Amino acid sequence: MLLLQNARIASENSPVLVESDVLIVEGKIQDIGKSLTIPEGARVIDARGRVLMPAMFDAHVHFRAPGFENKETITTGSEAAINGGITGVVMMPNTRPALDSATSVATVLDNAKRKARIPVYTSGCVTKDRQGKELAEIEGMRTLGVKMLTDDGDTTSDPAVLLRAMQYATEFGMFFASHCEVPELAGPRALNEGVMSYRLGIKGSPACAEEIIIDRDIRLARAAGAHVHIQHVSSKLGMETIRWWKSRGDVKVTAEVAPHHLLFTDEHIGDYDTNYKMNPPLRTQADCDALLEGLIEGVFDLIATDHAPHTPFEKAQDFISAPNGITGLDTALVSLYHFFVEPGKFGWDLVVKRYSAEPRRLMGLPVPTIEVGQQAECVLFDTDAETTFTREFMKSKSQNTPFIDQTLKGRVDLVILGTEILLER
Amino acid sequence: MARKDLLDIASLHREEIEFLLDQSTSFKKLFTRSVKKIPALEGKSVLMLFYEASTRTHSSFEVAAKRLSAEVTNFDVDHSSITKGESVRETIETLQAMRTDYIVVRHGHSGLPGMIARQTTASVINAGDGAHEHPTQALLDAFTIKEKFPDPRGKKVLIIGDILHSRVARSTSTLLQKLGVEVAYLGPGSLVPKYGPTTIPRFTDYQAAMAWKPDIVYLLRVQMERQDVQFFPNVREYHRVYGITNARLAEIRDRGLYIMHPGPVNRGVELCDAVMDYERSLITNQVENGISIRMAVLDWLTPGGEFPKQESYIARQQASSTAILP
């Protein structure tokens, strides 16, 4: 039994935080109200000034297992999620072996049940071994609960293959998540083509490499009657393309944006800092501004981190040799608060809607709320405290993030999932 | 101001550039003596770390180091553990343990010399990194131009060719602009990116570029090896559209323009054979001046001390903005 007193409750439906006591009994919210009587034996937490919100859900993470356990495991990845206030994730299937069959998916889900303290879901490949040629074992994966199909990390290059997959899998109620990139245009380096790529002397990846596939995959989904989810959009025109298709209303399209694409530009790469090397690449301030506009407007249904761990040894190479990607789970909520909520760019309602409710709706999962009768799946967030992202603080096995050793405003104090307190600071 | 490394031109201050050019003049005077060697770097060691093939730059640095009495070691990349999969980082750790004083590095990856510099106490000199920078080439180009135009301010240099892949174009144009020289680019639209520096006019038409009235025409080597896709149909067409043909050489001679090229020359591509005998060709002067410039650089840098930190682009821009002439 847990009584949180005077918490400021956030919901997706209102920008106003409502101050109230919340009583949790046996993992369920039993009562909400002003000055609730303290039941006998209840633990009381003074939550005055702190925000109580439904816990986050990240629909785009790389946990690297099986195959790259030196970078991350299901255990360390899910602990990083908890550390950031996240109580559910969807893994991407670019593991080794790739998750392209019922057998490989079953192994991951079994591991997750044993090794993670939160639900870990996985997506499955569109094509066998992500090669873009033969269809993966789609129905076999569906029987294990896979809903999202993606060759994430690579685009399914051949549009005919993707169209056939869409026609086939839509019948099973599955949807497609698209990593958007024309490989022939993007080249091997993850740096936006522009002033910075010229100055650094690195072959850039033009934004059109991404925008072409965004448009292509939505058109394919429309032709197949499928649902397509556009992953980690990085460019202004990409956002505008999705906005236009959504306004037509004749195709089911959802989209996500990652915190790093809202926050950083190619100029942050500076002196070849590999912590800013990611795919799709960081673009310009105009792109960041447009992505924020798209998030507020609802062009982007959800925020997802694309949590992409790599070992320090790999990231310590030169910019061209280093792998793409940064971690995001430990830092996501605090960075969203520090850079957007605290300065008033958007409210808590947007955070709850885009980072808790919508990703679960995308996956067809129940959406937690702070309401009587609901399962307790919530986070207590201190807006006055600070978090310093030291190496010790991070729970991810890899710590390739620009936030390392930075102090930002806000702190995840408590993470509750049902009867369990997953984290308490 | 003492520096540990020479990694780029962008961060050099004008005073540092002027100092190096002056020093190069003094070192060049040595070349006329029967004994060309001085003991400036006696007891010091210079390691040549060339991951990419090079004749001119490699031998120029080697001669420069030896004329300063340094001990030169050539790190044989082809026969090192790199062929066994050792990473550059591991190589650097090994080299750091050897306590060399200077490392002259050339690598196909942009930014790699900077990475080395941050991990060793040795002075690192960038001898060309990918399509990023080639600072000593820029210095020797500026020195060569100053020999013809002691006050180069207001002079015009037209750089022709593969701007996109050229570290020479980046370094030389940055340096020349710092000295008050006007620079323009000419080349195929596929090789002269529209997002290049806004202070540099960009031509795709030879006649239009000549109407800009350059004093020097600087031809870049067509680097077929760097072009992973086709940027122009063929070298015959390139020569006709952007090269110095016999007819164009006649016009250049009439106008009294100087011609430069960083070498090695693709004859019949960037320029016709006759250019090599043109009295205002500065191509051999560039090679000769490379030695005195590299002597000046080696003599100027100060090995040791702390490893430099990785600087942000914004901080670097702020630091170097004062070096750009009004």
Side-chain angles (χ1 to χ4, degrees):
Chain A
M1 223 181 317
L2 185 65
L3 179 66
L4 299 165
Q5 286 182 323
N6 301 305
R8 298 159 73 211
I9 299 170
S11 87
E12 63 171 319
N13 300 318
S14 166
V16 183
L17 301 171
V18 182
E19 193 175 294
S20 206
D21 295 354
V22 176
L23 177 67
I24 298 166
V25 180
E26 288 173 1
K28 276 198 169 178
I29 298 173
Q30 196 178 70
D31 203 359
I32 297 178
K34 293 270 182 197
S35 312
L36 293 181
T37 6
I38 303 171
E40 203 179 310
R43 184 179 164 202
V44 179
I45 292 176
D46 178 12
R48 189 178 296 275
R50 293 190 275 180
V51 174
L52 184 70
M53 70 179 95
M56 311 304 134
F57 186 96
D58 203 310
H60 191 150
V61 305
H62 297 267
F63 278 179
R64 307 296 188 204
F68 308 96
E69 287 84 352
N70 56 331
K71 298 173 193 255
E72 193 80 288
T73 63
I74 290 174
T75 306
T76 57
S78 55
E79 289 304 313
I82 294 166
N83 203 25
I86 295 152
T87 57
V89 296
V90 183
M91 271 178 59
M92 291 300 116
N94 59 339
T95 50
R96 189 185 294 154
L99 307 181
D100 59 1
S101 67
T103 317
S104 53
V105 166
T107 310
V108 164
L109 293 180
D110 182 52
N111 270 337
K113 269 190 200 122
R114 289 184 294 114
K115 296 177 180 172
R117 295 194 290 149
I118 55 170
V120 173
Y121 303 90
T122 182
S123 51
C125 296
V126 179
T127 62
K128 209 169 165 184
D129 199 26
R130 303 169 58 246
Q131 294 296 307
K133 294 189 174 73
E134 293 173 59
L135 296 190
E137 199 182 303
I138 290 172
E139 208 279 333
M141 294 189 287
R142 181 189 75 106
T143 57
L144 295 166
V146 171
K147 285 203 155 49
M148 181 195 287
L149 293 171
T150 179
D151 282 344
D152 182 44
D154 289 306
T155 297
T156 312
S157 264
D158 186 338
V161 171
L162 185 57
L163 182 65
R164 278 200 304 276
M166 283 176 164
Q167 289 163 338
Y168 180 76
T170 299
E171 298 299 315
F172 301 131
M174 300 169 102
F175 70 95
F176 288 79
S178 279
H179 172 109
C180 299
E181 185 183 23
V182 179
E184 295 86 349
L185 279 173
R189 316 288 176 234
L191 176 59
N192 181 45
E193 183 181 89
V195 174
M196 210 51 202
S197 68
Y198 177 80
R199 190 181 299 273
L200 295 177
I202 293 177
K203 181 177 160 50
S205 172
C208 70
E210 179 180 352
E211 292 148 4
I212 288 167
I213 301 294
I214 291 176
D215 192 63
R216 184 200 78 165
D217 285 6
I218 298 175
R219 282 170 194 271
L220 290 172
R222 184 174 175 274
H227 168 192
V228 66
H229 174 72
I230 305 296
Q231 296 177 301
H232 45 42
V233 178
S234 74
S235 89
K236 180 175 193 278
L237 200 51
M239 184 280 282
E240 288 173 354
T241 304
I242 297 163
R243 177 198 271 160
W244 184 79
W245 276 109
K246 282 189 159 187
S247 75
R248 283 178 55 99
D250 57 355
V251 52
K252 182 150 192 217
V253 48
T254 50
E256 72 190 34
V257 65
H260 52 256
H261 287 130
L262 295 167
L263 282 170
F264 304 120
T265 70
D266 54 1
E267 293 213 347
H268 284 92
I269 290 163
D271 207 0
Y272 301 96
D273 189 340
T274 59
N275 276 328
Y276 294 93
K277 183 180 180 184
M278 53 200 80
N279 189 15
L282 298 172
R283 302 203 190 272
T284 66
Q285 191 56 51
D287 293 296
C288 285
D289 295 345
L291 297 177
L292 179 60
E293 188 184 305
L295 178 63
I296 292 166
E297 198 183 303
V299 174
F300 298 114
D301 301 83
L302 47 112
I303 297 167
T305 59
D306 188 11
H307 177 78
H310 294 290
T311 62
F313 181 78
E314 290 170 295
K315 276 288 192 182
Q317 297 176 86
D318 67 285
F319 194 85
I320 292 170
S321 308
N324 297 317
I326 62 169
T327 60
L329 291 170
D330 290 287
T331 57
L333 187 56
V334 173
S335 65
L336 287 172
Y337 174 71
H338 179 99
F339 291 103
F340 298 110
V341 179
E342 214 264 340
K345 293 188 177 172
F346 53 67
W348 280 112
D349 54 330
L350 184 139
V351 179
V352 175
K353 189 175 178 67
R354 304 283 170 223
Y355 203 19
S356 173
E358 289 299 334
R360 288 182 170 98
R361 286 191 188 113
L362 177 77
M363 295 300 295
L365 298 167
V367 175
T369 53
I370 313 292
E371 286 171 0
V372 173
Q374 294 293 312
Q375 180 187 235
E377 188 164 0
C378 48
V379 169
L380 190 62
F381 189 90
D382 191 335
T383 53
D384 293 327
E386 290 181 331
T387 304
T388 302
F389 295 108
T390 59
R391 294 190 187 281
E392 296 71 38
F393 175 87
M394 309 285 205
K395 300 294 179 217
S396 173
K397 204 166 186 177
S398 300
Q399 301 180 348
N400 44 308
T401 161
F403 290 118
I404 199 83
D405 292 329
Q406 282 203 38
T407 300
L408 300 184
K409 202 146 190 217
R411 187 177 69 199
V412 175
D413 278 357
L414 195 65
V415 180
I416 299 168
L417 175 59
T419 52
E420 302 274 325
I421 292 180
L422 299 177
L423 175 129
E424 185 168 6
R425 287 202 175 89
Chain B
M1 179 186 153
R3 269 183 191 255
K4 175 177 154 305
D5 310 300
L6 177 62
L7 303 172
D8 59 11
I9 291 296
S11 65
L12 279 190
H13 292 258
R14 174 139 191 243
E15 300 70 42
E16 294 173 306
I17 294 163
E18 298 283 6
F19 173 79
L20 287 169
L21 297 177
D22 285 349
Q23 289 296 101
S24 181
T25 309
S26 311
F27 283 121
K28 197 174 173 182
K29 284 180 188 150
L30 283 176
F31 299 178
T32 54
R33 292 208 221 143
S34 60
V35 177
K36 298 178 178 65
K37 215 166 171 174
I38 56 163
L41 296 189
E42 203 164 59
K44 302 279 186 190
S45 56
V46 177
L47 185 81
M48 308 285 280
L49 188 56
F50 276 61
Y51 289 85
E52 272 188 344
S54 163
T55 308
R56 284 163 198 250
T57 307
H58 188 285
S59 51
S60 178
F61 266 109
E62 191 164 345
V63 170
K66 285 178 173 167
R67 284 190 184 171
L68 293 170
S69 305
E71 196 178 283
V72 179
T73 309
N74 283 297
F75 186 83
D76 189 349
V77 173
D78 290 339
H79 294 97
S80 71
S81 292
I82 287 155
T83 55
K84 299 182 202 162
E86 184 179 77
S87 74
V88 172
R89 203 181 151 90
E90 287 165 321
T91 306
I92 297 159
E93 280 165 13
T94 309
L95 298 177
Q96 171 63 11
M98 292 177 185
R99 302 278 169 204
T100 183
D101 298 294
Y102 301 85
I103 298 174
V104 180
V105 62
R106 169 170 287 196
H107 199 285
H109 288 180
S110 302
L112 193 127
M115 191 189 98
I116 297 177
R118 287 189 291 275
Q119 292 169 47
T120 91
T121 52
S123 283
V124 175
I125 302 168
N126 179 2
D129 60 332
H132 178 221
E133 286 245 26
H134 192 352
T136 56
Q137 177 71 43
L139 287 162
L140 74 88
D141 287 339
F143 185 79
T144 307
I145 289 168
K146 277 194 84 174
E147 283 186 321
K148 298 298 169 191
F149 300 106
D151 180 4
R153 281 178 295 180
K155 296 295 170 196
K156 291 178 165 183
V157 176
L158 176 67
I159 302 181
I160 304 178
D162 179 357
I163 306 297
L164 180 66
H165 298 98
S166 175
R167 52 197 177 207
V168 176
R170 281 173 183 74
S171 290
T172 296
S173 57
T174 306
L175 178 44
L176 292 179
Q177 285 191 309
K178 287 190 180 198
L179 295 176
V181 175
E182 289 185 47
V183 180
Y185 290 153
L186 166 66
S190 52
L191 290 170
V192 184
K194 66 178 192 298
Y195 44 79
T198 50
T199 52
I200 298 178
R202 175 180 170 268
F203 298 104
T204 49
D205 177 74
Y206 183 87
Q207 291 312 324
M210 292 313 272
W212 181 70
K213 295 195 165 77
D215 299 289
I216 296 167
V217 174
Y218 191 119
L219 300 152
L220 294 173
R221 202 171 85 79
V222 174
Q223 300 184 64
M224 304 305 285
E225 72 275 13
R226 284 190 194 282
Q227 295 175 10
D228 46 5
V229 293
Q230 201 179 7
F231 286 87
F232 51 83
N234 58 50
V235 289
R236 200 157 46 93
E237 182 165 310
Y238 181 91
H239 182 63
R240 185 167 54 78
V241 183
Y242 302 102
I244 304 302
T245 59
N246 283 317
R248 285 174 178 172
L249 180 61
E251 188 196 353
I252 282 170
R253 182 172 268 125
D254 284 349
R255 291 193 186 199
L257 308 188
Y258 288 97
I259 290 183
M260 296 174 74
H261 190 297
V265 171
N266 293 307
R267 292 183 182 218
V269 183
E270 298 98 68
L271 42 80
C272 60
D273 270 351
V275 171
M276 302 310 276
D277 304 320
Y278 174 45
E279 61 280 8
R280 292 199 165 199
S281 162
L282 301 177
I283 298 171
T284 48
N285 305 47
Q286 287 172 275
V287 178
E288 188 189 0
N289 291 335
I291 297 170
S292 55
I293 275 292
R294 283 159 184 139
M295 288 172 79
V297 168
L298 283 163
D299 187 50
W300 171 59
L301 294 175
T302 314
E306 288 183 12
F307 299 171
K309 286 191 181 122
Q310 191 156 23
E311 265 186 284
S312 78
Y313 164 75
I314 294 152
R316 197 146 57 98
Q317 280 304 101
Q318 283 165 349
S320 66
S321 61
T322 51
I324 298 169
L325 280 179

